[in-house]
Amino acid sequence: EYMGALEKDRLPYVYNLLAILTNIAPLVKGIGRSSSIKLLQLASLLSQRKFLAEVESNYTLLQKLLITLENILIHQYDYNIPLAYEISQRVDIFIKLELMKFQKGSADVSVVISDSPSRQQPQVHKDNVEGAHQEERKEDEDSQIIPKIDNEIPENKDQMRSSVLSMGGSRQWRQTSAWFEKMKSSLPYENVVFVGRVLFKKIKDKINAEQTLKGELDDETKFELGCDVCRQTSFIGTLTAKFPFCLLYTSDAADDLLCVDLGGRRIIKKK
């Protein structure tokens, strides 16, 4: 199941983590390969259509993660090369978001990444066509089961957090084309897709050239070669944040960094 590695009782911790990461992303340096892989695994879970459509505001979790990745790539790319490499190897996660359209009963599709770095549409595996039709029929049968939640998008942080993490509510909600367009337009995946495509092609060409000379390479060697390619590639001046960052601190603690935590909240010390 899509929630197998992300049980609902863990969502409050995911929300808190993403709230902090979103706030400090433009300043983050030194994300290692292990942490990068986990961030991409989280992106894969949060971007699944079934999770996005289950609760009206679930997409805000994915939005925070995408804002985090986007700001890291724009402001701290040179200091987070392992993350750039892993994004290139899992760029299909974000291409699926780019391809996602409002269609009742549509299934997640797998993609073939084009060698071209341009922002063109990737190819869809033909083997998934029948599977998608079967999934469509299955979802049509299950369409009578509709999660009940508040019908309005929450306006403030506390309400949003409650809505994302709660399955309760007084109204029935069914995804609409208007909701889908609002959801998709709020997800800043474009820069991540572009960076991933460019790096994917360059890394693939580099590894193929090395394997022609030396034979099959192990994963660690491919990682090192990929990181070298990432270091030699610059995106300065080519990326523009969809949601420009602004670090927020409480006014009475703004001049004393010891008085605020990583999320920008005031630390109250008991006397």
Side-chain angles (χ1 to χ4, degrees), residues 40-207:
L40 271 295
Q41 289 174 340
L42 181 59
S44 179
L45 289 169
L46 296 181
S47 63
Q48 292 189 36
R49 183 186 292 269
K50 202 169 184 180
F51 173 75
L52 293 173
E54 184 177 26
V55 177
E56 186 175 8
S57 52
N58 266 2
Y59 71 87
T60 58
L61 290 171
L62 179 59
Q63 180 192 52
K64 287 181 180 295
L65 180 55
L66 289 172
I67 291 174
T68 296
L69 295 176
E70 179 183 69
N71 278 316
I72 290 175
L73 291 175
I74 293 176
H75 300 284
Q76 300 295 343
Y77 174 86
D78 292 337
Y79 298 96
N80 294 286
I81 294 301
L83 177 61
Y85 171 80
E86 293 301 333
I87 286 175
S88 74
Q89 301 307 294
R90 297 299 309 277
V91 67
D92 60 296
I93 296 172
F94 310 103
I95 293 177
K96 287 179 183 179
L97 290 176
E98 188 177 52
L99 288 175
M100 189 180 293
K101 296 180 181 180
F102 178 76
Q103 182 179 357
K104 183 179 178 182
S106 59
D108 290 327
V109 298
S110 60
V111 298
V112 177
I113 305 169
S114 169
D115 285 344
S116 172
S118 62
R119 303 177 187 223
Q120 61 178 306
Q121 299 294 333
Q123 304 170 8
V124 180
H125 278 307
K126 293 182 179 179
D127 293 342
N128 290 312
V129 173
E130 180 59 28
H133 290 320
Q134 292 177 356
E135 183 68 18
E136 180 175 349
R137 290 193 292 269
K138 182 178 184 300
E139 291 191 10
D140 285 341
E141 295 172 358
D142 296 340
S143 61
Q144 301 301 319
I145 304 175
I146 308 171
K148 297 181 179 181
I149 66 166
D150 293 333
N151 195 44
E152 299 296 328
I153 294 290
E155 296 181 355
N156 59 58
K157 182 177 69 175
D158 293 336
Q159 289 178 342
M160 180 173 66
R161 181 176 185 276
S162 176
S163 178
V164 169
L165 306 178
S166 173
M167 291 297 290
S170 57
R171 297 182 181 181
Q172 288 186 334
W173 174 77
R174 183 191 298 272
Q175 59 175 313
T176 63
S177 59
W179 167 85
F180 181 85
E181 292 303 322
K182 181 176 182 179
M183 180 271 293
K184 190 169 181 180
S185 66
S186 72
L187 301 177
Y189 53 79
E190 295 88 350
N191 285 322
V192 183
V193 169
F194 179 69
V195 170
R197 279 187 177 277
V198 171
L199 294 178
F200 176 84
K201 181 183 185 305
K202 290 187 174 183
I203 292 171
K204 180 181 178 182
D205 291 344
K206 179 69 173 180
I207 291 176

